[in-house]
Amino acid sequence: MNSIIVSLSKLTSGGPSTFISRFSKYLNNRNIKLLFYGSKSKASAVLVISGTKKLAWLIYNKMSGKKIVQRLDGFQWKHKYEKVSFIYYLKCQLINLNMYIIRKYIADHVVYQSAFLEKQWNRDFGMVKSDYSIIHNAADQKFFDVKSMRKKNPDKNIEEKYKIICVEGTFQNDQVTQGMLNAIEQNVLQNDKIDIVELYGNNRLLDKSKFNLDILNFKGEVKREEMHKIYLENNLIFF
């Protein structure tokens, strides 16, 4: 059986781990085993999700003949447009530098999540000689069953209302997040067909006093295996 090793040590909360947990199922169907950082088993390729602090390990694997594949979404940019502390600014710059080094000097193949992101990376960080692909994020229609999400009210005289959920790894206390949530609030107030918006994700950093909690129901973090049921109980989903 062929094997791929990922730069993560284990599954945690957040987008990268969710991607890996689902990706591993499809690899198994193709008789490919997914290994985590630290595994002693042999692998033919290394998958890096955005970036990794394990640069020495990554270089060792490349010199050992393994193919290095980097999956990229966006990069840090809000720190350049908002007033932030010097420490936070430096952290964002180092995260971008880490991804830049892997993309330019280590990766044999780069996977971008969209053509827009590929253009953004080339514009802000320059072109690279490595091969690349554009693979959009997608949803398993067996997992997100749209038909089963539509709730039917037995009383035809009562107009059906919709419940929307918003899923985010971490709700940051920044202008972009606040603007998004304010826009959701306004749309709900202007649309009498929407009942409530439930928000799932880490919201400990968010100042919730700035929002209408009668409209935005912050549910917090939920175990990954419980999300399927939540998806099926709602009408619309935002990520």
Side-chain angles (χ1 to χ4, degrees):
M1 176 184 285
N2 292 326
S3 298
I4 296 175
I5 189 166
V6 294
S7 55
L8 302 176
S9 301
K10 60 180 180 179
L11 292 179
T12 58
S13 61
S17 289
T18 298
F19 168 80
I20 288 297
S21 67
R22 293 179 186 162
F23 185 51
S24 63
K25 297 177 182 178
Y26 294 96
L27 290 179
N28 287 333
N29 293 336
R30 297 182 176 224
N31 203 33
I32 300 173
K33 188 175 182 179
L34 186 71
L35 306 171
F36 288 90
Y37 170 79
S39 173
K40 302 300 181 182
S41 301
K42 292 184 178 180
S44 55
V46 177
L47 175 62
V48 181
I49 308 298
S50 296
T52 178
K53 297 177 182 177
K54 312 173 186 76
L55 290 179
W57 168 80
L58 204 57
I59 294 171
Y60 171 79
N61 277 281
K62 184 177 179 68
M63 295 178 66
S64 299
K66 298 182 180 66
K67 294 296 183 182
I68 310 297
V69 179
Q70 183 183 27
R71 178 181 182 266
L72 284 176
D73 47 15
F75 47 82
Q76 303 291 318
W77 58 270
K78 289 185 286 186
H79 64 291
K80 293 185 177 181
Y81 298 92
E82 297 181 4
K83 187 177 180 180
V84 297
S85 68
F86 174 75
I87 296 298
Y88 182 75
Y89 185 94
L90 181 60
K91 178 182 177 181
C92 292
Q93 289 293 92
L94 289 175
I95 291 172
N96 286 341
L97 178 62
N98 178 270
M99 293 187 289
Y100 167 82
I101 290 172
I102 296 171
R103 174 177 175 265
K104 185 171 180 63
Y105 299 108
I106 303 177
D108 297 294
H109 193 101
V110 179
V111 178
Y112 300 98
Q113 287 188 7
S114 68
F116 170 79
L117 285 172
E118 186 256 337
K119 290 179 181 178
Q120 291 294 103
W121 273 98
N122 288 337
R123 186 195 71 182
D124 287 31
F125 298 96
M127 303 281 289
V128 292
K129 295 181 180 180
S130 57
D131 295 331
Y132 75 93
S133 302
I134 296 172
I135 303 178
H136 299 280
N137 281 347
D140 186 342
Q141 293 184 351
K142 295 179 181 178
F143 193 79
F144 302 94
D145 187 349
V146 176
K147 291 182 180 179
S148 68
M149 283 193 247
R150 300 188 183 281
K151 298 179 180 179
K152 300 297 181 182
N153 195 314
D155 188 346
K156 295 183 179 180
N157 295 320
I158 300 177
E159 188 174 8
E160 180 186 3
K161 288 196 173 184
Y162 294 91
K163 185 166 70 173
I164 300 173
I165 67 171
C166 178
V167 183
E168 178 64 54
T170 300
F171 290 95
Q172 300 286 348
N173 198 41
D174 56 29
Q175 295 177 12
V176 175
T177 302
Q178 291 175 15
M180 177 192 73
L181 295 178
N182 287 332
I184 292 174
E185 277 187 0
Q186 293 302 313
N187 277 279
V188 173
L189 289 171
Q190 295 170 11
N191 192 331
D192 57 5
K193 291 186 178 181
I194 301 176
D195 185 25
I196 195 171
V197 178
E198 293 184 346
L199 300 104
Y200 292 86
N202 182 349
N203 57 59
R204 290 188 291 271
L205 300 175
L206 187 66
D207 183 2
K208 294 182 282 293
S209 65
K210 297 180 178 179
F211 307 104
N212 186 339
L213 299 183
D214 291 330
I215 295 176
L216 303 181
N217 186 2
F218 292 93
K219 307 293 285 188
E221 294 180 279
V222 177
K223 292 182 179 178
R224 184 176 290 107
E225 55 270 19
E226 296 177 4
M227 285 305 297
H228 183 216
K229 182 180 178 181
I230 294 172
Y231 292 144
L232 297 181
E233 290 176 347
N234 294 276
N235 303 99
L236 295 171
I237 303 170
F238 292 110
F239 292 96

